Each structure stands twice: as structure tokens, then as C-alpha cells.
Amino acid sequence: MAKRRPLRIFVVEDEALLLMQLEALLVAAGHEVVATAMSTAEALARIPTLAADLAFVDLRLGDSGGGIVVGRQLARTARMPVIFVTANERRIPVDEEPGPPPPDAGDNDLGGDYAGAMGVIAKPYTLHGLRTALDFLDEALRLPPPHRAPPESLFLTPAYAARWQIAV
């Protein structure tokens, strides 16, 4: 059986030590960090040239735009799946009755909930938690729908859970 290529991941994190830690954990899990950004402006500037399979975006960036803006742009413009990383998942916007996504949203923005993100990984994260989440995401992105349940380290958004008929 041929080995799959690593997932190419874009990381947006405004704290340098957390960015380095997340990069190291992703690489240790066998994946490739193809780009990083430490601010909303830097992340948005990278979007047109990104060649990534997935983005990990800190929900609370220190500058004005924040992770929500970056996540929405990645999901809608780059049509890239987004995983928010945050210590407080209650800050992610949830639309009580998500409407249809915008016409240009693509497959990775399923409506109003969670700013179009696929899921959330809570901080602090561990190598084991990231590995199990990445194993699930690898299967979900390459061979949808995934055949296993999401791990405890990954909270799948309601729109994606419904899309893949997974109880959350």
C-alpha cells in the first residue's frame, strides 16, 4: 500500500511560542506546514498563493480582524477547510438557524455556523490529540465521508457532522 503524502497545513497563530509548538507537533505527526501567519493582515495576504489542504487558525488573533475573518476568507475564497484552535470555543459564532452558504462559498463553507469552519481543537493541545484529529481529518478530506467517529480532541461543527451523518 502506497504511503499517502502528508497533509499540507497553513497555520495562523499570533503567539510565537504557540506557533512554534503547533508547527513542531504537526511535523511530528507526519504532516507539512506550508505557510504560517501571525496576524490577520499577514494571513489574508497569503491566501491567494496558498497551496494547502487545511488551515489551523487561532480564533483570537491580537489584531483587529481576528481568526473569524481569516477563517471565513479561507473557507469562502480559498475554499480551504478550516480548523479553529482556541482555548474558548464559546467565542465561535453559532447561527441558531444556519442559512444556505453564499453562492461563491464552495464545499468548505456549509452555512452560517462556526464561520464556515470544519471544526475546533481546544487549547492546550497534545501530540496525541493532534495526531488523532489529523488522522480523522486526513480521512475526511481525502475519502469523504469519514468512516470513523471524530476523536475527543476534535469538535466537529454541526454542519459537517450533518454532512457526514455523524452524531455530535
Side-chain angles (χ1 to χ4, degrees):
M1 179 180 202
K3 183 179 176 185
R4 289 187 189 165
R5 74 164 172 75
L7 286 174
R8 297 169 305 190
I9 302 171
F10 175 44
V11 178
V12 182
E13 170 63 64
D14 64 340
E15 294 186 43
L17 290 176
L18 292 176
L19 175 63
M20 290 187 300
Q21 178 194 34
L22 183 53
E23 271 188 282
L25 290 172
L26 293 170
V27 170
H31 299 283
E32 178 184 3
V33 176
V34 296
T36 62
M38 293 185 65
S39 70
T40 302
E42 185 181 4
L44 294 174
R46 291 194 187 280
I47 290 174
T49 60
L50 274 176
D53 302 307
L54 177 66
F56 279 78
V57 179
D58 181 12
L59 184 64
R60 294 199 30 108
L61 298 173
D63 56 5
S64 61
I68 297 293
V69 171
V70 173
R72 281 193 175 118
Q73 281 298 105
L74 286 164
R76 292 180 180 171
T77 305
R79 298 177 183 222
M80 185 180 302
V82 173
I83 300 296
F84 284 124
V85 290
T86 182
N88 189 352
E89 65 276 357
R90 289 177 292 203
R91 292 186 182 265
I92 299 172
V94 178
D95 188 345
E96 293 298 322
E97 295 182 36
D104 63 342
D107 292 338
N108 293 313
D109 184 347
L110 299 182
D113 68 331
Y114 293 83
M118 178 182 277
V120 179
I121 295 177
K123 292 179 185 178
Y125 27 74
T126 63
L127 178 57
H128 174 74
L130 276 175
R131 278 189 184 187
T132 57
L134 285 163
D135 288 346
F136 174 85
L137 292 167
D138 189 30
E139 179 181 313
L141 294 172
R142 295 182 206 261
L143 302 167
H147 297 288
R148 64 179 98 181
E152 289 183 19
S153 59
L154 173 68
F155 176 77
L156 199 60
T157 61
Y160 273 89
R163 173 192 226 180
W164 294 327
Q165 300 177 346
I166 296 173
V168 290

